[in-house]
Amino acid sequence: MNSRVLRIELRRSVAPWAGVVVLAPALAFLYLLNGAWWSGTTAWTAQWTPLALWTRSLLFYLWPLAVGLGALQGLRDHRSKMSELLTSTPRPARHRAATLAGATAITLASAFALLVLVGGVQVLAHTEYTHLGWLPISLVGAVFLVAGAVLGMGAGRALPSPLTPPALAMGAFVFTALMHMSLGRTQTDTADGFTSTEPNRVSLLSPTVEDAREAFVTLSASVHVGQTLWLLGMAATGFALLVAATRRARLTALTPVLAGAAIALLVLPTDPRRMYVVDEAAAEPVCDGPVCVTKTQQARLADLAGPGKEALRLLHGALGDQAPASIRENTAALPEGSTPQWSRKTVLLDFDDDIVAAAKGEELTRALIAKGMVPGCTPVGWSGFGGDEYAQTIAVGWVLGDLKPLGGTPANMRGEVEAETRPVWKKLKALPRAEQLSRINAMRAAALSCEGDPFEVLSGGASR
């Protein structure tokens, strides 16, 4: 490709505007709307992998735009009524197609790279853990934009109608929506009988990804390979349509995208647990005695270690040999809607938990005691408030000798917590010490197994 011709193409075509149309809405979406991408350990500016996942998720909207803009570029020769003139020149059609596709590819890839760079500068300021495991996620995202635009160009050249760009953009949007909402989801039933959905293999043909739920969960290598094969076929079809001069050649040009999809589906994993996997390097523990966090959160270890050791000491004084001996950041990557799994000997914490997130010092000690006594059995990815939170409040009060709502309790729920827990607390404290300990142990057994109602056990009822 002649660099001078490419520079002229960049100056005189609408290719640079494709980059602007991709970058501006993406930054506006991230900065003007307040969503999950701004909160907790998985904020888009908190860690490298969440940065890559959140920017990839924007392709739900950006990829259809890229396809439509590509189709608009593909109509250029038809709009200028120069098609016959250009075919009569000695310059091969593939050279003209490469220049057109190259200019748009450069601007789209540069726009996406700039989007990642804006977040990356902020990530550098927020984390001590730097790695390159996030890079394939972003690289595949950039290739999705380029391949979509090239496919749109080819379609615009093959179907030279003013309706082609909007129709292709809408079709691409419908495709991403179906992959994310219905065709790309498999319905499952949890152990508790609740209905949930999880991504299937077909969903991985979509440019978007699941929202970042944990900073140490990433896409597997087989996903990157399968998606790359699919995109190579898509780009090859787009380029072949750009240079095709006959109907037969255009039909033949569809072969790469169909072959790419078929091969990709053979490579892409079928099990959701092999699609989104734990990054072992990111989840590696960093410890201060019995208190450990993952590498992604190693900067928080200094603030956690003191309150953590104090919580373990208090738990041992209250529970004796039944007390947990260590504190670990929870690295289990369970499907959404599944029942959490807890350990009797280890307090597992999540820095995004409401009672832990903003707690410091003594309040953090109380939160860790609460997690050691009643870790909570709300299904993964769900939210709720009720018996577990009441039981946590009473359990911490029993260990420390004073009853008060935990930090992180919503202000509008504090009165309800007091009304529900105070009578049960008084009845528990009126019992002989041995009976108190027996009831606390029964409560903890129900809480750790997620097979009972810990608050009901504390109230004197039977564990369900």
Side-chain angles (χ1 to χ4, degrees):
M1 187 189 308
N2 189 299
S3 60
R4 185 176 66 87
V5 175
L6 180 60
R7 287 196 300 272
I8 294 173
E9 183 73 27
L10 286 169
R11 286 200 307 269
R12 297 183 178 179
S13 74
V14 299
W17 289 104
V20 174
V21 169
V22 165
L23 180 61
L27 291 175
F29 185 90
L30 289 170
Y31 280 98
L32 299 182
L33 298 179
N34 186 21
W37 51 89
W38 277 117
S39 62
T41 61
T42 57
W44 82 288
T45 58
Q47 299 286 341
W48 291 103
T49 299
L51 164 68
L53 291 173
W54 281 119
T55 49
R56 268 289 294 274
S57 69
L58 291 177
L59 297 190
F60 187 95
Y61 310 101
L62 299 182
W63 187 70
L65 277 177
V67 174
L69 288 168
L72 191 63
Q73 278 280 73
L75 289 177
R76 186 177 66 177
D77 292 348
H78 178 75
R79 292 197 311 268
S80 61
K81 304 185 187 302
M82 294 178 57
S83 300
E84 293 184 4
L85 175 62
L86 291 173
T87 56
S88 66
T89 63
R91 190 184 181 201
R94 64 179 181 276
H95 289 182
R96 296 196 304 272
T99 302
L100 179 64
T104 303
I106 288 173
T107 57
L108 288 174
S110 298
F112 192 72
L114 187 56
L115 174 65
V116 175
L117 180 62
V118 169
V121 170
Q122 298 173 79
V123 171
L124 282 173
H126 291 155
T127 183
E128 296 178 0
Y129 179 59
T130 302
H131 63 106
L132 296 178
W134 60 274
L135 198 54
I137 303 174
S138 293
L139 288 176
V140 172
V143 177
F144 255 111
L145 287 174
V146 171
V150 173
L151 181 65
M153 289 179 204
R157 179 71 60 85
L159 301 170
S161 165
L163 298 177
T164 299
L168 279 179
M170 183 57 67
F173 181 76
V174 170
F175 172 78
T176 57
L178 289 176
M179 292 297 101
H180 195 64
M181 298 176 185
S182 57
L183 293 180
R185 310 290 297 185
T186 300
Q187 184 172 301
T188 60
D189 293 324
T190 67
D192 297 325
F194 297 109
T195 299
S196 181
T197 63
E198 56 188 17
N200 58 33
R201 176 169 49 185
V202 176
S203 71
L204 298 175
L205 297 178
S206 167
T208 191
V209 295
E210 297 289 295
D211 292 346
R213 286 193 312 165
E214 302 290 350
F216 44 79
V217 172
T218 186
L219 288 170
S220 66
S222 58
V223 171
H224 299 316
V225 173
Q227 290 183 334
T228 301
L229 293 171
W230 157 238
L231 293 174
L232 289 175
M234 186 188 300
T237 287
F239 191 81
L241 287 172
L242 270 176
V243 301
T246 65
R247 177 173 296 183
R248 181 175 181 179
R250 294 186 185 106
L251 290 175
T252 304
L254 299 177
T255 303
V257 70
L258 297 176
I263 297 173
L265 290 173
L266 294 176
V267 174
L268 293 170
T270 57
D271 186 351
R273 282 159 286 281
R274 291 176 54 224
M275 299 175 190
Y276 295 87
V277 297
V278 173
D279 182 341
E280 297 297 339
E284 184 179 338
V286 179
C287 300
D288 182 344
V291 181
C292 297
V293 298
T294 63
K295 270 193 174 181
T296 61
Q297 302 300 326
Q298 59 189 352
R300 306 179 73 159
L301 181 58
D303 292 333
L304 179 68
K309 292 173 184 177
E310 177 65 8
L312 291 175
R313 185 188 68 80
L314 292 169
L315 284 169
H316 186 269
L319 300 175
D321 293 340
Q322 298 297 313
S326 62
I327 295 175
R328 298 281 189 278
E329 184 179 353
N330 193 357
T331 58
L334 300 175
E336 185 171 355
S338 60
T339 302
Q341 299 174 2
W342 306 115
S343 167
R344 181 176 294 275
K345 287 299 181 181
T346 302
V347 179
L348 298 175
L349 81 149
D350 184 342
F351 284 109
D352 288 331
D353 192 302
D354 289 341
I355 66 172
V356 175
K360 294 184 181 297
E362 182 181 342
E363 198 58 52
L364 182 54
T365 298
R366 294 178 65 90
L368 293 172
I369 292 173
K371 298 301 291 183
M373 298 290 279
V374 185
C377 290
T378 301
V380 175
W382 298 14
S383 61
F385 195 95
D388 284 345
E389 288 70 27
Y390 302 152
Q392 283 180 338
T393 302
I394 295 173
V396 174
W398 181 80
V399 173
L400 298 178
D402 64 327
L403 182 71
K404 63 179 183 180
L406 293 167
T409 302
N412 63 332
M413 298 298 297
R414 288 179 176 263
E416 181 178 327
V417 171
E418 174 69 18
E420 292 287 342
T421 59
R422 182 65 64 177
V424 177
W425 159 260
K426 289 181 178 180
K427 291 181 181 179
L428 178 65
K429 295 296 288 184
L431 297 173
R433 178 67 183 182
E435 179 62 25
Q436 290 181 35
L437 183 58
S438 174
R439 192 166 291 187
I440 287 291
N441 284 334
M443 172 214 70
R444 191 160 176 257
L448 291 171
S449 65
C450 290
E451 294 179 353
D453 185 336
F455 184 60
E456 184 178 335
V457 174
L458 281 177
S459 302
S463 175
R464 287 199 303 266

